[in-house]
Amino acid sequence: MGLIGSLITGFIAGSLASWIMPGGGRHWVVDITLGILGGLVGGWIFDLLGIQTGGGWWINLIIAIIGACILIFIGRLFTKKK
């Protein structure tokens, strides 16, 4: 997957994760960053668990969404609500 494909996948994953868990990205740049970092975190976690993925675009998108949701959750743990 090229740069444009990664950016599009990151945007979709970040947007969906922000919709699933409110409090995530609020701007398209944040959604792209969240989705790309979510893909890295999700891939790392799936690798640690020994889960083999097929490697299709849809699987990569789901892994990125799961990773982005985890990042939003961790961000909430360390953010004080007033």
Side-chain angles (χ1 to χ4, degrees):
M1 184 178 344
L3 177 64
I4 300 299
S6 296
L7 293 175
I8 291 171
T9 304
F11 174 70
I12 294 170
S15 297
L16 288 174
S18 296
W19 178 72
I20 293 169
M21 299 187 66
R26 291 177 174 76
H27 191 270
W28 62 273
V29 174
V30 176
D31 285 341
I32 291 173
T33 306
L34 181 63
I36 291 173
L37 291 176
L40 294 172
V41 169
W44 177 67
I45 289 174
F46 274 60
D47 189 45
L48 280 178
L49 295 174
I51 299 172
Q52 298 292 327
T53 58
W57 182 78
W58 289 102
I59 299 298
N60 291 336
L61 180 64
I62 291 169
I63 290 170
I65 292 170
I66 291 169
C69 287
I70 291 169
L71 288 175
I72 292 172
F73 178 75
I74 290 171
R76 284 187 190 169
L77 289 177
F78 295 106
T79 303
K80 293 182 181 179
K81 298 273 182 174
K82 294 183 179 180

